Amino acid sequence: MAQPAVTVSDPWEMALEQFHRAARYVPLKRGIREFLAYPKRELTVNFPVKMDDGSVRIFTGYRVHHSTVLGPTKGGIRYHPGVTLNEVRALAMWMTWKCAIAGLPYGGAKGGVVCDPKQLSSGELERLTRRYATEISVLMGPESDIPAPDVGTNPQVMAWIMDTYSMHRGYSVPAVVTGKPVSVGGSVGREEATGLGCALVAREAAAAVGLDLKGARVAVQGFGNVGSVAALTLARMGAVVVAVSDSRGGVYDPHGLDPEALLACKRATGTVADFPQGQRVSAEEVLEVPCDVLVPAALEGQITPDNARRVQARVIIEGANGPTTPEADDVLRSRNVLVVPDILANAGGVIVSYFEWVQDLQAFFWTEEEVRQRLERLLVRGFQEVWRVSEQRGVDLRTAALVRAIERVADALYTRGIYP
Ligand code: GLU
C-alpha cells in the first residue's frame, strides 16, 4: 500500500505516524483509534536542586502515562539535555506497544528530566533524583507506575528512587522501580537484558532471512548499556564487530574490533573514539559502513530518508527507541533492508524488568539461568508472532508489531469497556 510521504523529526509525530499507519490494518470501533493516540495523563514538574556550590537550580521533569489498559504503567526515566515533553510522550506510547507485544501486563509510561547527568556531581545527581522521585510520587507506585532506567540513568539512580519512595512510606518497597542493583531487590540479568535481547532478536532475524551470523559484520551506533552488550553478545555468537560509536565519535575496522577491548577503552577514557585501532568515524558514519547487521542503539531520529539510502546493512536491529523515521522506513523497505523495530528488538529490558517486579512482589528470587531462559522464550515468541503477522498481512515488521500490539490493547479495552 502506498504510504504518504511525511518528513518527521519530532518523536511524538513519528510515534503517531507509525501508529496511524498500523491502525489502518486493525478494525477499531469508532473513537478507539483516537483514544489510543492520546496519552492518558501527563505530569510536568519544575523543582529546585541544591548544587554543590551552594546555589539552587530549577530543573524540569516529566512523567507521561500513555495507557493503563493492560495494567499498571511501565517505562524508564531519561536524564538528557534534549528531553522534551513530546519525546517523553513518544517513548511512553512505544512502551505501551512494547509491553503488549511481549505479553506483559503493563501499560506504557516514560519519564525524563532535562539535565546533563555527565555535568552533575554524584551528590547533585542524588538530590535531583530524590526530588524528582518525590515530585512524581503522585503517579508512581508498585501497583500504579513502575519506572526503570533509560538513557542517562542507571541502577544507582533506581536505588535512590526506591529508597526515596520507601522513606516516604516508612517501609521498603522494592517493587516500585526496576533496574535496581541486585543488593536492593534487583534481578540478576536485568542490566544486560536489553543488549542481550537485541542479540537474540538479531539471531532470529538473521535466521529468518538466511543470513549466517557467524562471520556477519556488525556495526553498532551507541556503546552504552544497550549497544555494548549487544556488540559483546553478537561477537560471542560469531559475528564480527566492524564499527562502533558513542556520542563523542567512533571507530571502523573491516577486519573486526574486539568488543571487550572497546569496553575497556570506554571505561578508561569515557569514549570509544580514542580506540587505538581502525579508522576514526563519526556516529553518523557508523550507520553507513559496509556491514550486514546494523544496531542503532543511541537516540531517536538517527536514520533519516537521506542516510537510509546509504545504509549497507541487510538487517537493522533497533536497540534505541525510535532511531528510524517513518520516511526512512519507506526508503529501507524499498531497498529490501529488514528493520526489526525497537518495540520488539529492545524489549529484553522491560521483559526482565517485569521479572524483577514479579520477584520483588513475591520476595522470591530466580537464578540467572531462569531469567535468561524466560527472557529468550518471550522474545522468540514475540519475534515469531510479529513475523507471522508481517507475512500474513504483507506489511513490514514495524507495522506488524504495531498491529499485534494495537489488537491486544484494543481487545482488552473492549472487554473492560469504556467507563462509566
Ligand atoms: N527504558 C527501557 C525501555 O525503553 C526499559 C523500560 C523498563 O524496563 O521499564 O524499554
PDB file of all heavy atoms in Angstrom, residues 102 188-190 192-198 200-201 344-353 355 366 368-382:
ATOM      1  N   ALA A 102       5.147  -8.157  23.973  1.00  0.00           N
ATOM      2  CA  ALA A 102       5.822  -9.161  24.806  1.00  0.00           C
ATOM      3  C   ALA A 102       4.828  -9.913  25.692  1.00  0.00           C
ATOM      4  O   ALA A 102       5.191 -10.874  26.354  1.00  0.00           O
ATOM      5  CB  ALA A 102       6.893  -8.490  25.660  1.00  0.00           C
ATOM      6  N   VAL A 188      18.944 -10.500  38.861  1.00  0.00           N
ATOM      7  CA  VAL A 188      20.134 -10.863  38.083  1.00  0.00           C
ATOM      8  C   VAL A 188      19.735 -10.813  36.611  1.00  0.00           C
ATOM      9  O   VAL A 188      18.591 -11.080  36.257  1.00  0.00           O
ATOM     10  CB  VAL A 188      20.666 -12.279  38.453  1.00  0.00           C
ATOM     11  CG1 VAL A 188      21.311 -12.285  39.810  1.00  0.00           C
ATOM     12  CG2 VAL A 188      19.574 -13.330  38.352  1.00  0.00           C
ATOM     13  N   GLY A 189      20.654 -10.380  35.791  1.00  0.00           N
ATOM     14  CA  GLY A 189      20.401 -10.359  34.348  1.00  0.00           C
ATOM     15  C   GLY A 189      19.659  -9.145  33.841  1.00  0.00           C
ATOM     16  O   GLY A 189      19.453  -9.009  32.638  1.00  0.00           O
ATOM     17  N   ARG A 190      19.235  -8.215  34.724  1.00  0.00           N
ATOM     18  CA  ARG A 190      18.479  -7.057  34.234  1.00  0.00           C
ATOM     19  C   ARG A 190      19.366  -6.079  33.462  1.00  0.00           C
ATOM     20  O   ARG A 190      18.974  -5.558  32.428  1.00  0.00           O
ATOM     21  CB  ARG A 190      17.791  -6.312  35.391  1.00  0.00           C
ATOM     22  CG  ARG A 190      17.142  -4.972  34.994  1.00  0.00           C
ATOM     23  CD  ARG A 190      16.030  -5.148  33.961  1.00  0.00           C
ATOM     24  NE  ARG A 190      15.490  -3.888  33.460  1.00  0.00           N
ATOM     25  CZ  ARG A 190      15.985  -3.213  32.435  1.00  0.00           C
ATOM     26  NH1 ARG A 190      17.043  -3.658  31.774  1.00  0.00           N
ATOM     27  NH2 ARG A 190      15.407  -2.102  32.028  1.00  0.00           N
ATOM     28  N   GLU A 192      22.052  -6.466  31.660  1.00  0.00           N
ATOM     29  CA  GLU A 192      22.438  -6.890  30.312  1.00  0.00           C
ATOM     30  C   GLU A 192      21.232  -7.172  29.420  1.00  0.00           C
ATOM     31  O   GLU A 192      21.393  -7.430  28.222  1.00  0.00           O
ATOM     32  CB  GLU A 192      23.255  -8.191  30.329  1.00  0.00           C
ATOM     33  CG  GLU A 192      24.298  -8.366  31.381  1.00  0.00           C
ATOM     34  CD  GLU A 192      23.713  -8.781  32.718  1.00  0.00           C
ATOM     35  OE1 GLU A 192      23.576  -9.984  32.995  1.00  0.00           O
ATOM     36  OE2 GLU A 192      23.392  -7.856  33.514  1.00  0.00           O
ATOM     37  N   ALA A 193      20.017  -7.175  30.022  1.00  0.00           N
ATOM     38  CA  ALA A 193      18.862  -7.748  29.318  1.00  0.00           C
ATOM     39  C   ALA A 193      18.553  -7.084  27.976  1.00  0.00           C
ATOM     40  O   ALA A 193      18.213  -7.775  27.008  1.00  0.00           O
ATOM     41  CB  ALA A 193      17.633  -7.681  30.218  1.00  0.00           C
ATOM     42  N   THR A 194      18.670  -5.746  27.893  1.00  0.00           N
ATOM     43  CA  THR A 194      18.274  -5.086  26.646  1.00  0.00           C
ATOM     44  C   THR A 194      19.253  -5.454  25.520  1.00  0.00           C
ATOM     45  O   THR A 194      18.832  -5.817  24.415  1.00  0.00           O
ATOM     46  CB  THR A 194      18.209  -3.555  26.829  1.00  0.00           C
ATOM     47  OG1 THR A 194      17.537  -3.277  28.062  1.00  0.00           O
ATOM     48  CG2 THR A 194      17.482  -2.889  25.694  1.00  0.00           C
ATOM     49  N   GLY A 195      20.545  -5.373  25.816  1.00  0.00           N
ATOM     50  CA  GLY A 195      21.554  -5.693  24.802  1.00  0.00           C
ATOM     51  C   GLY A 195      21.534  -7.170  24.428  1.00  0.00           C
ATOM     52  O   GLY A 195      21.644  -7.526  23.249  1.00  0.00           O
ATOM     53  N   LEU A 196      21.365  -8.013  25.435  1.00  0.00           N
ATOM     54  CA  LEU A 196      21.275  -9.454  25.182  1.00  0.00           C
ATOM     55  C   LEU A 196      20.054  -9.753  24.317  1.00  0.00           C
ATOM     56  O   LEU A 196      20.114 -10.519  23.349  1.00  0.00           O
ATOM     57  CB  LEU A 196      21.186 -10.208  26.522  1.00  0.00           C
ATOM     58  CG  LEU A 196      20.921 -11.707  26.461  1.00  0.00           C
ATOM     59  CD1 LEU A 196      22.072 -12.430  25.780  1.00  0.00           C
ATOM     60  CD2 LEU A 196      20.713 -12.279  27.862  1.00  0.00           C
ATOM     61  N   GLY A 197      18.948  -9.096  24.658  1.00  0.00           N
ATOM     62  CA  GLY A 197      17.710  -9.269  23.887  1.00  0.00           C
ATOM     63  C   GLY A 197      17.907  -8.861  22.438  1.00  0.00           C
ATOM     64  O   GLY A 197      17.445  -9.548  21.525  1.00  0.00           O
ATOM     65  N   CYS A 198      18.617  -7.753  22.202  1.00  0.00           N
ATOM     66  CA  CYS A 198      18.888  -7.312  20.824  1.00  0.00           C
ATOM     67  C   CYS A 198      19.632  -8.409  20.062  1.00  0.00           C
ATOM     68  O   CYS A 198      19.330  -8.677  18.896  1.00  0.00           O
ATOM     69  CB  CYS A 198      19.763  -6.050  20.814  1.00  0.00           C
ATOM     70  SG  CYS A 198      18.892  -4.566  21.279  1.00  0.00           S
ATOM     71  N   LEU A 200      19.653 -11.652  20.709  1.00  0.00           N
ATOM     72  CA  LEU A 200      18.771 -12.810  20.482  1.00  0.00           C
ATOM     73  C   LEU A 200      17.820 -12.540  19.315  1.00  0.00           C
ATOM     74  O   LEU A 200      17.581 -13.406  18.473  1.00  0.00           O
ATOM     75  CB  LEU A 200      17.965 -13.118  21.757  1.00  0.00           C
ATOM     76  CG  LEU A 200      18.774 -13.640  22.946  1.00  0.00           C
ATOM     77  CD1 LEU A 200      17.903 -13.715  24.195  1.00  0.00           C
ATOM     78  CD2 LEU A 200      19.368 -15.011  22.641  1.00  0.00           C
ATOM     79  N   VAL A 201      17.297 -11.320  19.273  1.00  0.00           N
ATOM     80  CA  VAL A 201      16.387 -10.959  18.189  1.00  0.00           C
ATOM     81  C   VAL A 201      17.157 -10.915  16.861  1.00  0.00           C
ATOM     82  O   VAL A 201      16.650 -11.339  15.816  1.00  0.00           O
ATOM     83  CB  VAL A 201      15.687  -9.612  18.502  1.00  0.00           C
ATOM     84  CG1 VAL A 201      14.966  -9.072  17.291  1.00  0.00           C
ATOM     85  CG2 VAL A 201      14.717  -9.777  19.669  1.00  0.00           C
ATOM     86  N   LEU A 344      10.119  -4.394  19.457  1.00  0.00           N
ATOM     87  CA  LEU A 344      10.386  -5.826  19.527  1.00  0.00           C
ATOM     88  C   LEU A 344      11.867  -6.055  19.875  1.00  0.00           C
ATOM     89  O   LEU A 344      12.210  -6.810  20.783  1.00  0.00           O
ATOM     90  CB  LEU A 344      10.049  -6.453  18.161  1.00  0.00           C
ATOM     91  CG  LEU A 344      10.347  -7.910  17.929  1.00  0.00           C
ATOM     92  CD1 LEU A 344       9.537  -8.779  18.878  1.00  0.00           C
ATOM     93  CD2 LEU A 344       9.980  -8.289  16.480  1.00  0.00           C
ATOM     94  N   ALA A 345      12.734  -5.340  19.164  1.00  0.00           N
ATOM     95  CA  ALA A 345      14.177  -5.602  19.275  1.00  0.00           C
ATOM     96  C   ALA A 345      14.749  -5.272  20.652  1.00  0.00           C
ATOM     97  O   ALA A 345      15.651  -5.953  21.135  1.00  0.00           O
ATOM     98  CB  ALA A 345      14.932  -4.820  18.199  1.00  0.00           C
ATOM     99  N   ASN A 346      14.252  -4.202  21.282  1.00  0.00           N
ATOM    100  CA  ASN A 346      14.852  -3.833  22.575  1.00  0.00           C
ATOM    101  C   ASN A 346      13.950  -4.161  23.765  1.00  0.00           C
ATOM    102  O   ASN A 346      14.153  -3.648  24.871  1.00  0.00           O
ATOM    103  CB  ASN A 346      15.311  -2.362  22.573  1.00  0.00           C
ATOM    104  CG  ASN A 346      14.162  -1.365  22.570  1.00  0.00           C
ATOM    105  OD1 ASN A 346      13.104  -1.624  23.144  1.00  0.00           O
ATOM    106  ND2 ASN A 346      14.372  -0.223  21.946  1.00  0.00           N
ATOM    107  N   ALA A 347      12.984  -5.049  23.545  1.00  0.00           N
ATOM    108  CA  ALA A 347      12.038  -5.386  24.613  1.00  0.00           C
ATOM    109  C   ALA A 347      12.661  -6.212  25.738  1.00  0.00           C
ATOM    110  O   ALA A 347      12.040  -6.392  26.794  1.00  0.00           O
ATOM    111  CB  ALA A 347      10.842  -6.139  24.033  1.00  0.00           C
ATOM    112  N   GLY A 348      13.871  -6.708  25.528  1.00  0.00           N
ATOM    113  CA  GLY A 348      14.522  -7.515  26.571  1.00  0.00           C
ATOM    114  C   GLY A 348      14.605  -6.785  27.903  1.00  0.00           C
ATOM    115  O   GLY A 348      14.479  -7.402  28.971  1.00  0.00           O
ATOM    116  N   GLY A 349      14.811  -5.474  27.847  1.00  0.00           N
ATOM    117  CA  GLY A 349      14.939  -4.684  29.074  1.00  0.00           C
ATOM    118  C   GLY A 349      13.666  -4.711  29.896  1.00  0.00           C
ATOM    119  O   GLY A 349      13.671  -5.066  31.087  1.00  0.00           O
ATOM    120  N   VAL A 350      12.565  -4.386  29.251  1.00  0.00           N
ATOM    121  CA  VAL A 350      11.319  -4.326  30.029  1.00  0.00           C
ATOM    122  C   VAL A 350      10.840  -5.731  30.388  1.00  0.00           C
ATOM    123  O   VAL A 350      10.172  -5.926  31.413  1.00  0.00           O
ATOM    124  CB  VAL A 350      10.236  -3.482  29.308  1.00  0.00           C
ATOM    125  CG1 VAL A 350       9.649  -4.200  28.107  1.00  0.00           C
ATOM    126  CG2 VAL A 350       9.131  -3.118  30.298  1.00  0.00           C
ATOM    127  N   ILE A 351      11.204  -6.715  29.596  1.00  0.00           N
ATOM    128  CA  ILE A 351      10.817  -8.097  29.946  1.00  0.00           C
ATOM    129  C   ILE A 351      11.474  -8.498  31.270  1.00  0.00           C
ATOM    130  O   ILE A 351      10.816  -8.999  32.188  1.00  0.00           O
ATOM    131  CB  ILE A 351      11.175  -9.073  28.804  1.00  0.00           C
ATOM    132  CG1 ILE A 351      10.248  -8.853  27.600  1.00  0.00           C
ATOM    133  CG2 ILE A 351      11.089 -10.524  29.289  1.00  0.00           C
ATOM    134  CD1 ILE A 351      10.608  -9.662  26.359  1.00  0.00           C
ATOM    135  N   VAL A 352      12.784  -8.224  31.383  1.00  0.00           N
ATOM    136  CA  VAL A 352      13.433  -8.596  32.651  1.00  0.00           C
ATOM    137  C   VAL A 352      13.029  -7.622  33.765  1.00  0.00           C
ATOM    138  O   VAL A 352      13.011  -7.988  34.941  1.00  0.00           O
ATOM    139  CB  VAL A 352      14.955  -8.760  32.487  1.00  0.00           C
ATOM    140  CG1 VAL A 352      15.607  -9.108  33.822  1.00  0.00           C
ATOM    141  CG2 VAL A 352      15.256  -9.874  31.473  1.00  0.00           C
ATOM    142  N   SER A 353      12.639  -6.405  33.419  1.00  0.00           N
ATOM    143  CA  SER A 353      12.049  -5.512  34.431  1.00  0.00           C
ATOM    144  C   SER A 353      10.790  -6.152  35.018  1.00  0.00           C
ATOM    145  O   SER A 353      10.546  -6.106  36.227  1.00  0.00           O
ATOM    146  CB  SER A 353      11.664  -4.164  33.805  1.00  0.00           C
ATOM    147  OG  SER A 353      12.731  -3.266  33.835  1.00  0.00           O
ATOM    148  N   PHE A 355      10.186  -9.327  35.142  1.00  0.00           N
ATOM    149  CA  PHE A 355      10.628 -10.430  36.011  1.00  0.00           C
ATOM    150  C   PHE A 355      11.085  -9.886  37.375  1.00  0.00           C
ATOM    151  O   PHE A 355      10.826 -10.477  38.420  1.00  0.00           O
ATOM    152  CB  PHE A 355      11.792 -11.202  35.362  1.00  0.00           C
ATOM    153  CG  PHE A 355      11.447 -11.894  34.061  1.00  0.00           C
ATOM    154  CD1 PHE A 355      12.460 -12.284  33.187  1.00  0.00           C
ATOM    155  CD2 PHE A 355      10.131 -12.169  33.711  1.00  0.00           C
ATOM    156  CE1 PHE A 355      12.166 -12.930  31.990  1.00  0.00           C
ATOM    157  CE2 PHE A 355       9.825 -12.817  32.508  1.00  0.00           C
ATOM    158  CZ  PHE A 355      10.849 -13.192  31.655  1.00  0.00           C
ATOM    159  N   TRP A 366      14.978 -15.486  41.415  1.00  0.00           N
ATOM    160  CA  TRP A 366      15.301 -16.520  40.436  1.00  0.00           C
ATOM    161  C   TRP A 366      16.806 -16.552  40.173  1.00  0.00           C
ATOM    162  O   TRP A 366      17.516 -15.587  40.450  1.00  0.00           O
ATOM    163  CB  TRP A 366      14.601 -16.256  39.106  1.00  0.00           C
ATOM    164  CG  TRP A 366      13.142 -15.971  39.168  1.00  0.00           C
ATOM    165  CD1 TRP A 366      12.313 -16.093  40.257  1.00  0.00           C
ATOM    166  CD2 TRP A 366      12.325 -15.490  38.096  1.00  0.00           C
ATOM    167  NE1 TRP A 366      11.033 -15.729  39.919  1.00  0.00           N
ATOM    168  CE2 TRP A 366      11.012 -15.350  38.602  1.00  0.00           C
ATOM    169  CE3 TRP A 366      12.552 -15.166  36.757  1.00  0.00           C
ATOM    170  CZ2 TRP A 366       9.948 -14.910  37.812  1.00  0.00           C
ATOM    171  CZ3 TRP A 366      11.498 -14.733  35.967  1.00  0.00           C
ATOM    172  CH2 TRP A 366      10.212 -14.608  36.494  1.00  0.00           C
ATOM    173  N   GLU A 368      20.061 -16.753  37.451  1.00  0.00           N
ATOM    174  CA  GLU A 368      20.343 -16.122  36.168  1.00  0.00           C
ATOM    175  C   GLU A 368      19.858 -17.006  35.015  1.00  0.00           C
ATOM    176  O   GLU A 368      19.356 -16.515  34.000  1.00  0.00           O
ATOM    177  CB  GLU A 368      21.854 -15.874  36.055  1.00  0.00           C
ATOM    178  CG  GLU A 368      22.185 -15.038  34.860  1.00  0.00           C
ATOM    179  CD  GLU A 368      23.453 -14.229  35.030  1.00  0.00           C
ATOM    180  OE1 GLU A 368      24.084 -14.299  36.098  1.00  0.00           O
ATOM    181  OE2 GLU A 368      23.804 -13.545  34.071  1.00  0.00           O
ATOM    182  N   GLU A 369      20.028 -18.294  35.196  1.00  0.00           N
ATOM    183  CA  GLU A 369      19.593 -19.263  34.184  1.00  0.00           C
ATOM    184  C   GLU A 369      18.078 -19.146  33.935  1.00  0.00           C
ATOM    185  O   GLU A 369      17.622 -19.113  32.782  1.00  0.00           O
ATOM    186  CB  GLU A 369      19.963 -20.665  34.707  1.00  0.00           C
ATOM    187  CG  GLU A 369      19.768 -21.804  33.757  1.00  0.00           C
ATOM    188  CD  GLU A 369      20.520 -21.624  32.443  1.00  0.00           C
ATOM    189  OE1 GLU A 369      21.511 -20.877  32.413  1.00  0.00           O
ATOM    190  OE2 GLU A 369      20.073 -22.222  31.444  1.00  0.00           O
ATOM    191  N   GLU A 370      17.313 -19.046  35.033  1.00  0.00           N
ATOM    192  CA  GLU A 370      15.852 -18.933  34.892  1.00  0.00           C
ATOM    193  C   GLU A 370      15.474 -17.632  34.176  1.00  0.00           C
ATOM    194  O   GLU A 370      14.605 -17.616  33.310  1.00  0.00           O
ATOM    195  CB  GLU A 370      15.185 -18.966  36.277  1.00  0.00           C
ATOM    196  CG  GLU A 370      15.131 -20.348  36.894  1.00  0.00           C
ATOM    197  CD  GLU A 370      14.708 -20.316  38.359  1.00  0.00           C
ATOM    198  OE1 GLU A 370      15.372 -19.632  39.165  1.00  0.00           O
ATOM    199  OE2 GLU A 370      13.717 -20.972  38.691  1.00  0.00           O
ATOM    200  N   VAL A 371      16.156 -16.542  34.562  1.00  0.00           N
ATOM    201  CA  VAL A 371      15.870 -15.248  33.941  1.00  0.00           C
ATOM    202  C   VAL A 371      16.158 -15.327  32.447  1.00  0.00           C
ATOM    203  O   VAL A 371      15.333 -14.923  31.619  1.00  0.00           O
ATOM    204  CB  VAL A 371      16.719 -14.135  34.603  1.00  0.00           C
ATOM    205  CG1 VAL A 371      16.656 -12.841  33.799  1.00  0.00           C
ATOM    206  CG2 VAL A 371      16.252 -13.896  36.040  1.00  0.00           C
ATOM    207  N   ARG A 372      17.299 -15.873  32.094  1.00  0.00           N
ATOM    208  CA  ARG A 372      17.694 -15.927  30.681  1.00  0.00           C
ATOM    209  C   ARG A 372      16.767 -16.794  29.845  1.00  0.00           C
ATOM    210  O   ARG A 372      16.398 -16.423  28.732  1.00  0.00           O
ATOM    211  CB  ARG A 372      19.115 -16.463  30.557  1.00  0.00           C
ATOM    212  CG  ARG A 372      20.096 -15.411  30.946  1.00  0.00           C
ATOM    213  CD  ARG A 372      21.452 -15.673  30.392  1.00  0.00           C
ATOM    214  NE  ARG A 372      22.305 -14.580  30.820  1.00  0.00           N
ATOM    215  CZ  ARG A 372      23.338 -14.148  30.150  1.00  0.00           C
ATOM    216  NH1 ARG A 372      23.674 -14.696  29.030  1.00  0.00           N
ATOM    217  NH2 ARG A 372      24.051 -13.141  30.604  1.00  0.00           N
ATOM    218  N   GLN A 373      16.409 -17.946  30.407  1.00  0.00           N
ATOM    219  CA  GLN A 373      15.526 -18.856  29.650  1.00  0.00           C
ATOM    220  C   GLN A 373      14.171 -18.210  29.397  1.00  0.00           C
ATOM    221  O   GLN A 373      13.630 -18.269  28.297  1.00  0.00           O
ATOM    222  CB  GLN A 373      15.318 -20.148  30.434  1.00  0.00           C
ATOM    223  CG  GLN A 373      16.418 -21.159  30.167  1.00  0.00           C
ATOM    224  CD  GLN A 373      16.270 -22.399  31.035  1.00  0.00           C
ATOM    225  OE1 GLN A 373      15.301 -22.547  31.772  1.00  0.00           O
ATOM    226  NE2 GLN A 373      17.244 -23.278  30.949  1.00  0.00           N
ATOM    227  N   ARG A 374      13.638 -17.567  30.458  1.00  0.00           N
ATOM    228  CA  ARG A 374      12.310 -16.949  30.305  1.00  0.00           C
ATOM    229  C   ARG A 374      12.382 -15.761  29.350  1.00  0.00           C
ATOM    230  O   ARG A 374      11.460 -15.522  28.580  1.00  0.00           O
ATOM    231  CB  ARG A 374      11.781 -16.500  31.662  1.00  0.00           C
ATOM    232  CG  ARG A 374      11.373 -17.679  32.521  1.00  0.00           C
ATOM    233  CD  ARG A 374      10.767 -17.182  33.824  1.00  0.00           C
ATOM    234  NE  ARG A 374       9.880 -18.152  34.394  1.00  0.00           N
ATOM    235  CZ  ARG A 374      10.038 -18.699  35.601  1.00  0.00           C
ATOM    236  NH1 ARG A 374      11.048 -18.344  36.357  1.00  0.00           N
ATOM    237  NH2 ARG A 374       9.182 -19.579  36.049  1.00  0.00           N
ATOM    238  N   LEU A 375      13.485 -15.012  29.417  1.00  0.00           N
ATOM    239  CA  LEU A 375      13.665 -13.877  28.504  1.00  0.00           C
ATOM    240  C   LEU A 375      13.675 -14.373  27.062  1.00  0.00           C
ATOM    241  O   LEU A 375      12.981 -13.836  26.190  1.00  0.00           O
ATOM    242  CB  LEU A 375      14.984 -13.149  28.832  1.00  0.00           C
ATOM    243  CG  LEU A 375      15.465 -12.135  27.797  1.00  0.00           C
ATOM    244  CD1 LEU A 375      14.515 -10.951  27.689  1.00  0.00           C
ATOM    245  CD2 LEU A 375      16.870 -11.622  28.147  1.00  0.00           C
ATOM    246  N   GLU A 376      14.467 -15.391  26.828  1.00  0.00           N
ATOM    247  CA  GLU A 376      14.598 -15.907  25.463  1.00  0.00           C
ATOM    248  C   GLU A 376      13.241 -16.412  24.952  1.00  0.00           C
ATOM    249  O   GLU A 376      12.856 -16.147  23.816  1.00  0.00           O
ATOM    250  CB  GLU A 376      15.648 -17.026  25.438  1.00  0.00           C
ATOM    251  CG  GLU A 376      15.876 -17.561  24.044  1.00  0.00           C
ATOM    252  CD  GLU A 376      17.191 -18.313  23.891  1.00  0.00           C
ATOM    253  OE1 GLU A 376      18.011 -18.331  24.838  1.00  0.00           O
ATOM    254  OE2 GLU A 376      17.401 -18.889  22.807  1.00  0.00           O
ATOM    255  N   ARG A 377      12.506 -17.088  25.839  1.00  0.00           N
ATOM    256  CA  ARG A 377      11.205 -17.634  25.434  1.00  0.00           C
ATOM    257  C   ARG A 377      10.261 -16.510  24.983  1.00  0.00           C
ATOM    258  O   ARG A 377       9.649 -16.575  23.928  1.00  0.00           O
ATOM    259  CB  ARG A 377      10.593 -18.397  26.615  1.00  0.00           C
ATOM    260  CG  ARG A 377       9.672 -19.521  26.190  1.00  0.00           C
ATOM    261  CD  ARG A 377       9.079 -20.246  27.383  1.00  0.00           C
ATOM    262  NE  ARG A 377      10.081 -20.760  28.306  1.00  0.00           N
ATOM    263  CZ  ARG A 377       9.892 -20.875  29.627  1.00  0.00           C
ATOM    264  NH1 ARG A 377       8.771 -20.479  30.201  1.00  0.00           N
ATOM    265  NH2 ARG A 377      10.843 -21.358  30.397  1.00  0.00           N
ATOM    266  N   LEU A 378      10.172 -15.445  25.787  1.00  0.00           N
ATOM    267  CA  LEU A 378       9.244 -14.353  25.442  1.00  0.00           C
ATOM    268  C   LEU A 378       9.685 -13.619  24.185  1.00  0.00           C
ATOM    269  O   LEU A 378       8.867 -13.249  23.347  1.00  0.00           O
ATOM    270  CB  LEU A 378       9.130 -13.354  26.609  1.00  0.00           C
ATOM    271  CG  LEU A 378       8.384 -13.807  27.854  1.00  0.00           C
ATOM    272  CD1 LEU A 378       8.012 -12.622  28.726  1.00  0.00           C
ATOM    273  CD2 LEU A 378       7.102 -14.555  27.486  1.00  0.00           C
ATOM    274  N   LEU A 379      11.001 -13.414  24.040  1.00  0.00           N
ATOM    275  CA  LEU A 379      11.489 -12.679  22.869  1.00  0.00           C
ATOM    276  C   LEU A 379      11.296 -13.476  21.589  1.00  0.00           C
ATOM    277  O   LEU A 379      10.866 -12.927  20.567  1.00  0.00           O
ATOM    278  CB  LEU A 379      12.973 -12.352  23.039  1.00  0.00           C
ATOM    279  CG  LEU A 379      13.298 -11.069  23.775  1.00  0.00           C
ATOM    280  CD1 LEU A 379      14.792 -10.905  23.889  1.00  0.00           C
ATOM    281  CD2 LEU A 379      12.683  -9.848  23.088  1.00  0.00           C
ATOM    282  N   VAL A 380      11.612 -14.766  21.641  1.00  0.00           N
ATOM    283  CA  VAL A 380      11.485 -15.592  20.438  1.00  0.00           C
ATOM    284  C   VAL A 380      10.011 -15.702  20.052  1.00  0.00           C
ATOM    285  O   VAL A 380       9.648 -15.567  18.882  1.00  0.00           O
ATOM    286  CB  VAL A 380      12.131 -16.984  20.649  1.00  0.00           C
ATOM    287  CG1 VAL A 380      11.809 -17.928  19.509  1.00  0.00           C
ATOM    288  CG2 VAL A 380      13.646 -16.835  20.819  1.00  0.00           C
ATOM    289  N   ARG A 381       9.151 -15.870  21.054  1.00  0.00           N
ATOM    290  CA  ARG A 381       7.718 -15.937  20.763  1.00  0.00           C
ATOM    291  C   ARG A 381       7.234 -14.620  20.133  1.00  0.00           C
ATOM    292  O   ARG A 381       6.501 -14.620  19.144  1.00  0.00           O
ATOM    293  CB  ARG A 381       6.941 -16.217  22.057  1.00  0.00           C
ATOM    294  CG  ARG A 381       5.472 -16.517  21.810  1.00  0.00           C
ATOM    295  CD  ARG A 381       4.719 -16.660  23.107  1.00  0.00           C
ATOM    296  NE  ARG A 381       4.643 -15.388  23.833  1.00  0.00           N
ATOM    297  CZ  ARG A 381       4.164 -15.250  25.065  1.00  0.00           C
ATOM    298  NH1 ARG A 381       3.753 -16.309  25.726  1.00  0.00           N
ATOM    299  NH2 ARG A 381       4.103 -14.071  25.653  1.00  0.00           N
ATOM    300  N   GLY A 382       7.682 -13.486  20.711  1.00  0.00           N
ATOM    301  CA  GLY A 382       7.305 -12.176  20.170  1.00  0.00           C
ATOM    302  C   GLY A 382       7.760 -12.035  18.730  1.00  0.00           C
ATOM    303  O   GLY A 382       6.997 -11.603  17.856  1.00  0.00           O
TER     304      GLY A 382
END
